[in-house]
Amino acid sequence: MRVAAIDIGSNSIHLMVAEGDGANPGDYRVLDDEKIVTRLSRGLEPDGLLKEEKIREAAESVHRLAGIARGYDVDLIRAIATAAVRSADNGHAVVDLVRAVDGLDVEVIDAEREAALAFRSVDRAFDLTGQRVAVVDVGGGSTEVVLATDGVVEQVMPLPIGAVRLTDLYGASEDDAGLEHAALRAAVRDAVRDGIEKPDMAPSMLIGVGGTFTALAGMSLANRSGAGFGETNDRPVGGHELMHEELRHLLDWLRKLPVEERALTPGLNPERADIIVAGLEIIDRVVRRLGVNRIRVHDKGVRDGLVLEMLEERSGADSAGGGAAGGTGGGRARLSRVDSARRFAEKCRYEAAHSGHVAVLSLSIFDALAAAEPGTWCEGAARELLEAAALLHNIGYLVSYQKHHKHSYHLIVHSGMPGFTRRELELVAQIARYHRRAKPSEEHKPFAALDLADQDLVCKLAGILRIADGLNRTHRQTVASVRVEVEPGRSPNGVPVPGRVLILARGDDDGMGVWGAERKKRLFERAFGAAVSFAAEPEPDPEAGAEDGPGARAGAV
């Protein structure tokens, strides 16, 4: 099983050809690894267009690299394009010309997918168990920052700055008494401040991906070995570690050198001499913002992540006759949304008994309301989205108890769970995020970005989830089940409107379930426009038959 990945970046175009093990797609051997430096984003026209000669050079380079791949008789070639192509107004011209020259379709990926591929590569290379880390990919045109806990992505923060783009804007050396460098530093500072939310808890380590990091490792290794000017580093850089202080020392030294002298720096590839200072400035400012001191270098990245993805998808297709959901491989049957959510919850070490019971209570309330007050809110995938959110609502504990509802949101949004569209992941994440105290608000950017129908759905389903979570306040499942009575109200003109909802908590001997639900009912009442009340009642005698007993009404469960 042979695949080839081509990565069209802002600085260079990379090819990786790999042969995978069908039994274990994560194990592969590299057959070829080639790079052509094109500087595709260099000299962008004032109107934001890529230069025609750069577009032609990129297409020709892809054609050469694809020819190398075909020489290995690969089963599949996939090409992706990142910041330079996606940000240029005429980026489509690269895609069109590659197709015309080579017949290869190029996928222009967004910053989040780029970050996900880089993280996939890091996660394969390092044991992230029990650690909170930042994965930072510094490219030519953009930088992606991923925060992850215990191997699960918590947050992705893309920055619109890269080593080539900054060098084009502010120059490559310390000319004019350092004015250009001061402007570069200010631009990096502002971009990092605006794009990276200061974390509640600093990561234990930053893992760096991309050419700037491998260059940094090369210089660090050469410096430690006492290499002389012009000498390159021939030792592997993957896994090399250094501290922030060493990065600062190298940056302060390099920025004072003309490019010609900088090219002679031990361990630095001369082709990177002009852009290295801009790249190191990005790393320095990100390290400061995150409050991390330890840096580890990864010598692979996006194309490695793409190869892993391709091999897993191919393995799934070969063994299951059509592929596993989400490209997870292994020949499994396609996962349902709920199974997918439960699997991700297990990865986040969720409290299965509590979350599973909250899901059962949530669905009981949902079904009663849907039967009594049907409408667009309960159609389609709404029930599954609620169940998934209930299973996942507390996974933010993986990061921290403090603000765990926000951590749950980020973990779900970036989970890539098979079976869910991007919109559905966003809805599940927001339903889970609002299971606690804060009300959905237009001041919250993710909520404000939803259309009105999805905002209404989030409010209704989060309102149900809050009540179910309150009913299991003790996490001891003392409320075994619920019986729901829905009484429609009547407006003056006789049109049915929501009226009263009574939720009977069965088996709530200590009253804690009713107490917990009472405290969390306001969002439900606002979303449904109905007053809700609670009462405890004994669990029904299983020998007494299936009837609920006196007082059961239409819509009761």
Side-chain angles (χ1 to χ4, degrees):
M1 195 162 45
R2 292 183 174 185
V3 298
I6 298 176
D7 174 14
I8 305 171
S10 302
N11 181 56
S12 56
I13 302 177
H14 288 262
L15 163 73
M16 179 185 285
V17 181
E19 185 175 70
D21 178 353
N24 186 359
D27 289 338
Y28 69 81
R29 66 188 182 100
V30 176
L31 302 178
D32 209 328
D33 195 348
E34 185 61 76
K35 176 180 75 171
I36 301 175
V37 177
T38 58
R39 298 284 171 90
L40 179 58
S41 66
R42 169 135 291 175
L44 267 152
E45 303 289 3
D47 54 4
L49 299 176
L50 296 169
K51 290 184 175 180
E52 289 188 13
E53 60 267 30
K54 288 294 182 183
I55 294 174
R56 287 196 300 271
E57 184 182 357
E60 291 167 1
S61 297
V62 171
H63 181 54
R64 291 192 189 97
L65 295 176
I68 294 172
R70 293 185 181 104
Y72 284 95
D73 195 24
V74 296
D75 299 296
L76 179 65
I77 303 175
R78 188 175 293 173
I80 58 171
T82 53
V85 176
R86 71 171 173 254
S87 61
D89 291 339
N90 63 339
H92 62 87
V94 176
V95 177
D96 294 342
L97 191 56
V98 168
R99 185 184 296 114
V101 169
D102 190 78
L104 191 63
D105 287 325
V106 176
E107 177 191 1
V108 182
I109 64 174
D110 61 22
E112 291 219 352
R113 175 148 160 72
E114 186 176 357
L117 289 173
F119 181 79
R120 181 190 285 255
S121 176
V122 168
D123 192 37
R124 172 180 176 265
F126 302 108
D127 182 6
L128 304 182
T129 305
Q131 298 187 70
R132 191 174 196 218
V133 301
V135 175
V136 180
D137 182 0
V138 177
S142 67
T143 296
E144 286 74 41
V145 180
V146 177
L147 288 181
T149 299
D150 205 10
V152 180
V153 174
E154 174 193 351
Q155 202 165 357
V156 176
M157 295 168 283
L159 304 176
I161 51 175
V164 175
R165 181 172 294 177
L166 287 171
T167 302
D168 278 351
L169 290 172
Y170 300 104
S173 61
E174 187 79 329
D175 298 330
D176 299 330
L179 294 179
E180 289 91 343
H181 188 75
L184 184 153
R185 292 186 71 183
V188 174
R189 180 197 62 218
D190 293 345
V192 170
R193 181 193 60 209
D194 295 343
I196 298 181
E197 181 181 345
K198 204 168 181 65
D200 300 326
M201 181 174 60
S204 61
M205 177 172 54
L206 183 150
I207 301 176
V209 176
T212 297
F213 279 101
T214 55
L216 173 62
M219 291 185 289
S220 172
L221 285 164
N223 186 49
R224 294 181 189 183
S225 66
F229 278 95
E231 293 185 29
T232 58
N233 169 65
D234 57 0
R235 289 187 289 173
V237 298
H240 179 68
E241 288 192 12
L242 65 154
M243 306 301 282
H244 184 206
E245 182 181 4
E246 186 175 357
L247 163 65
R248 284 295 317 166
H249 173 75
L250 283 166
L251 176 56
D252 289 342
W253 180 58
L254 288 167
R255 70 181 180 82
K256 298 173 184 177
L257 297 176
V259 174
E260 295 77 12
E261 293 184 25
R262 199 182 294 162
L264 300 174
T265 300
L268 177 65
N269 186 333
E271 289 183 338
R272 194 168 283 274
D274 57 339
I275 62 174
I276 188 61
V277 168
L280 294 182
E281 282 288 356
I282 296 171
I283 299 173
D284 176 58
R285 187 56 59 176
V286 170
V287 164
R288 291 169 183 251
R289 182 68 171 172
L290 296 177
V292 65
N293 193 38
R294 182 174 158 219
I295 302 169
R296 178 180 290 176
V297 175
H298 181 44
D299 59 351
K300 293 184 175 65
V302 171
R303 64 189 181 281
D304 176 55
L306 183 58
V307 163
L308 289 168
E309 181 179 275
M310 294 164 71
L311 288 171
E312 289 177 0
E313 289 176 354
R314 188 76 179 182
S315 175
D318 288 347
S319 55
T328 55
R332 302 182 186 93
R334 184 174 294 275
L335 292 174
S336 71
R337 288 186 181 93
V338 173
D339 287 338
S340 180
R342 187 173 287 108
R343 179 172 296 179
F344 183 64
E346 290 169 353
K347 186 175 182 180
C348 296
R349 302 203 302 271
Y350 79 134
E351 187 183 352
H354 168 69
S355 297
H357 195 62
V358 168
V360 169
L361 298 177
S362 295
L363 295 181
S364 293
I365 298 170
F366 177 96
D367 290 339
L369 293 169
E373 298 289 341
T376 56
W377 73 272
C378 58
E379 295 174 352
R383 193 176 190 274
E384 286 181 304
L385 299 183
L386 173 61
E387 186 172 6
L391 291 170
L392 297 165
H393 72 284
N394 272 345
I395 62 171
Y397 285 137
L398 180 72
V399 180
S400 170
Y401 172 77
Q402 298 298 326
K403 301 181 181 179
H404 70 268
H405 55 300
K406 294 183 180 180
H407 297 311
S408 293
Y409 168 81
H410 289 300
L411 290 169
I412 295 167
V413 161
H414 300 299
S415 65
M417 290 186 293
F420 292 88
T421 65
R422 183 167 293 189
R423 168 184 167 270
E424 289 170 340
L425 279 179
E426 181 67 40
L427 292 175
V428 171
Q430 293 206 35
I431 296 163
R433 181 254 190 271
Y434 290 115
H435 83 272
R436 222 172 162 205
R437 299 185 186 94
K439 297 177 182 177
S441 167
E442 291 288 341
E443 295 180 0
H444 302 158
K445 290 182 180 179
F447 183 76
L450 299 177
D451 63 32
L452 292 179
D454 281 347
Q455 287 185 353
D456 180 64
L457 181 62
V458 167
C459 290
K460 283 183 165 64
L461 298 186
I464 293 172
L465 176 56
R466 283 192 185 196
I467 286 177
D469 191 45
L471 288 167
N472 198 36
R473 181 65 183 86
T474 64
H475 289 220
R476 291 188 291 113
Q477 295 79 55
T478 54
V479 176
S481 62
V482 293
R483 184 163 65 88
V484 182
E485 296 182 356
V486 181
E487 286 188 357
R490 289 282 176 180
S491 67
N493 60 5
V495 177
V497 296
R500 184 180 73 90
V501 177
L502 173 63
I503 298 178
L504 296 162
R506 291 173 161 174
D508 189 20
D509 296 333
D510 58 6
M512 286 297 294
V514 167
W515 178 80
E518 281 281 0
R519 289 163 57 88
K520 303 187 73 171
K521 70 180 184 179
R522 287 193 181 88
L523 177 59
F524 180 98
E525 291 183 326
R526 187 180 74 173
F528 285 97
V532 61
S533 57
F534 304 91
E537 74 172 11
E539 286 189 77
D541 183 352
E543 296 182 0
E547 298 206 5
D548 286 308
R553 303 176 187 272
V557 173

